[in-house]
Amino acid sequence: MQINNNQLLRFTTAGSVDDGKSTLIGRLLYDSKSIFEDQLESVSATSAKKGHKGVDLALFTDGLRDEREQGITIDVAYRYFTTPRRKFIIADTPGHIQYTRNMVTGASTANAAVILIDARHGVIEQTKRHAFIASLLNIPHLIVCVNKMDLVDFSEQRFNEIISQFEEFSSKLLMKDVRFIPISALDGDNVVNQSQNMSWYQGGTLLHILETLHISSDVNKIDARFPVQTVLRPQNEKYRDYRGYAGRVASGIYRVGDDVAVLPSGFTSKIKSINTGDIEVQEAFAPMSVAMTLEDDIDVSRGDMIVKVNNQPELIQEFDVMLCWLHDDAARPRAKYTIMHTTNEQRAIIKEVVYKVDINTYDRIADDNNLLRNDIARVKLRCTRPVMSDSYRENRNTGSVILIDESTNETVAAGMVV
């Protein structure tokens, strides 16, 4: 029987130096037979030169480390693989504190985060930092892999101790679904194949969990939000009077005949038709790209949002966001930045830094207004016009913003509406 593997799962990996992240990704690719023959031959030859008995799995990913050491900047490395059940994108991000912005970038669209813990060392500061960022970004699923179990004699007691350590601090964070797996990435225990050395563990392997995570409900299907990207006016013989509004459904479900409102104007109408390409459909849902037409000829332009009459986002001109500062240059007090929210683009200022967060201790720093690279802070933004926004916790697509420096056109910060 053919299994449909059209569903895409994005996950990010995080771990401290030498926790075995490269080996884990290599093992996942190797055991799931997702490596090309020429890659395998090249890594096998390099492993033999270095005197390794088998294939050094870390070599499948460690080329990036060489580039980093040469001063070549790699923000996030993406790797792709597929199994009969699902397609995957791995966002491989460096875990050091100076790469906080990289982890935020890589994890921002992830369905799941895989956090590695060395069984010998247990929960350390970096574990807490990675868990905090996963919680801040509202990643729906967290998989904690306790690695190097072979170095603690596959001890069930040690595994349970680390679970207790993790749960003790993570109880302060908002996490929906946390799972723990004892693994040995080097030997392949519980990565793709079930371990013979840990019969006491009754859960699934890492790949099995990634293949079976229920991610359909991760997208908000209740709040219908359709940011208009462009207005379609073909004006040819076939579509002489056609006026469609194209974009990507951010959340919710739209059906022909639905009563809708266009924000920020507030004008109301009904959906006349929905098209995806040349095909007319009766309904559209996230993350489909479609074109809609309305029964009434009302003014709609890029940056507007089509929503349900009885379910509308807030129109807010001044609001708080949790902001991660991405740029090497510090934030300039009261400076104007371009704010991008869905397809809406306008100007904004950072009106106030409410507090900064110490991402190692979760303490709030109230008397420091300087926003430097990798800082995470709660700030108050003020825009020139109202923004159609939900809170990030409720809707990741319509609760996120980015700030762009007007003089350089560089992205300087990413924010989550509180």
Side-chain angles (χ1 to χ4, degrees):
M1 182 181 73
Q2 176 117 14
I3 299 171
N4 186 350
N5 77 337
N6 288 333
Q7 198 174 44
L8 174 67
L9 176 95
R10 298 171 183 266
F11 69 96
T12 183
T13 58
S16 183
V17 180
D18 295 329
D19 273 354
K21 190 154 63 82
S22 295
T23 304
L24 175 65
I25 295 171
R27 173 62 68 186
L28 203 53
L29 298 174
Y30 183 71
D31 283 4
S32 63
K33 298 180 173 55
S34 301
I35 292 165
F36 293 116
E37 278 187 29
D38 58 339
Q39 280 180 295
L40 185 55
E41 285 169 11
S42 171
V43 168
S44 299
T46 308
S47 301
K49 273 185 200 170
K50 290 188 173 186
H52 298 301
K53 288 180 182 176
V55 177
D56 183 358
L57 298 167
L59 293 174
F60 289 119
T61 57
D62 273 2
L64 297 171
R65 189 179 301 165
D66 297 336
E67 291 170 355
R68 220 177 262 132
E69 285 169 1
Q70 292 167 31
I72 301 167
T73 303
I74 294 178
D75 290 330
V76 185
Y78 292 97
R79 290 180 181 77
Y80 308 85
F81 74 103
T82 184
T83 70
R85 289 179 178 271
R86 201 170 250 174
K87 293 182 174 74
F88 298 93
I89 298 177
I90 309 172
D92 181 17
T93 57
H96 307 72
I97 191 163
Q98 65 266 36
Y99 294 115
T100 299
R101 61 179 181 175
N102 306 61
M103 187 177 172
V104 168
T105 304
S108 59
T109 56
N111 303 96
V114 175
I115 294 181
L116 262 74
I117 297 176
D118 189 318
R120 298 167 300 173
H121 305 144
V123 169
I124 58 174
E125 265 191 7
Q126 271 177 284
T127 313
K128 295 179 181 180
R129 184 161 65 250
H130 297 150
F132 172 75
I133 292 170
S135 167
L136 179 72
L137 291 166
N138 201 28
I139 296 176
H141 310 281
L142 192 65
I143 304 166
V144 180
C145 290
V146 181
N147 193 22
K148 305 193 179 181
M149 287 297 293
D150 51 313
L151 301 181
V152 293
D153 298 324
F154 302 103
S155 166
E156 181 180 8
Q157 182 185 344
R158 180 58 182 152
F159 178 63
N160 290 332
E161 283 170 7
I162 292 171
I163 291 177
S164 298
Q165 287 175 10
F166 191 91
E167 288 178 338
E168 187 181 336
F169 79 85
S170 66
S171 60
K172 303 172 192 172
L173 306 173
L174 290 169
M175 291 183 176
K176 299 173 186 172
D177 175 28
V178 184
R179 308 182 189 210
F180 299 89
I181 314 174
I183 68 168
S184 169
L186 189 64
D187 300 324
D189 293 78
N190 290 334
V191 179
V192 172
N193 302 309
Q194 204 78 34
S195 172
Q196 301 300 309
N197 298 305
M198 291 177 277
S199 54
W200 45 265
Y201 172 71
Q202 298 300 309
T205 64
L206 174 60
L207 183 62
H208 177 75
I209 288 172
L210 290 170
E211 284 185 326
T212 56
L213 276 179
H214 180 67
I215 59 172
S216 299
S217 58
D218 293 350
V219 177
N220 182 326
K221 290 193 175 74
I222 298 166
D223 304 311
R225 307 286 185 258
F226 183 70
V228 176
Q229 188 169 341
T230 189
V231 179
L232 302 177
R233 295 292 304 275
Q235 294 181 327
N236 57 25
E237 200 67 41
K238 188 178 179 184
Y239 300 102
R240 187 171 295 281
D241 299 317
Y242 184 88
R243 185 183 177 88
Y245 310 109
R248 189 179 190 184
V249 180
S251 59
I253 301 170
Y254 290 87
R255 295 182 177 89
V256 173
D258 280 349
D259 292 309
V260 292
V262 178
L263 299 180
S265 68
F267 289 122
T268 59
S269 185
K270 285 182 184 290
I271 296 176
K272 183 178 180 182
S273 68
I274 303 173
N275 283 77
T276 172
D278 292 332
I279 303 166
E280 192 162 325
V281 294
Q282 289 303 301
E283 66 174 27
F285 47 86
M288 288 172 66
S289 294
V290 298
M292 293 184 191
T293 62
L294 303 179
E295 296 279 4
D296 303 283
D297 188 15
I298 56 181
D299 185 24
V300 184
S301 57
R302 176 182 168 84
D304 290 352
M305 190 178 285
I306 299 174
V307 301
K308 297 284 184 71
V309 168
N310 58 357
N311 180 335
Q312 300 190 19
E314 280 189 275
L315 266 72
I316 46 179
Q317 198 162 348
E318 193 172 292
F319 52 96
D320 284 11
V321 300
M322 292 301 294
L323 200 71
C324 177
W325 195 257
L326 307 174
H327 204 263
D328 293 336
D329 298 333
R332 302 188 306 279
R334 309 289 293 187
K336 288 186 176 70
Y337 294 98
T338 298
I339 184 170
M340 297 279 294
H341 171 262
T342 63
T343 58
N344 188 288
E345 185 177 325
Q346 53 176 294
R347 281 181 168 180
I349 61 166
I350 299 173
K351 191 175 178 185
E352 179 192 351
V353 177
V354 182
Y355 60 80
K356 283 167 64 170
V357 179
D358 183 324
I359 57 174
N360 291 322
T361 62
Y362 310 155
D363 291 339
R364 296 179 179 182
I365 307 163
D367 53 354
D368 185 354
N369 293 326
N370 294 315
L371 282 181
L372 308 174
R373 182 181 65 188
N374 295 313
D375 278 348
I376 291 176
R378 180 166 178 150
V379 306
K380 198 174 290 295
L381 296 179
R382 180 166 181 82
C383 299
T384 51
R385 302 188 306 277
V387 168
M388 292 80 71
S389 178
D390 300 290
S391 79
Y392 185 82
R393 284 267 155 212
E394 291 172 1
N395 198 329
R396 288 172 87 186
N397 288 327
T398 56
S400 54
V401 299
I402 60 171
L403 297 184
I404 296 168
D405 187 306
E406 291 185 323
S407 58
T408 63
N409 212 30
E410 292 181 327
T411 302
V412 294
M416 292 133 277
V417 179
V418 178

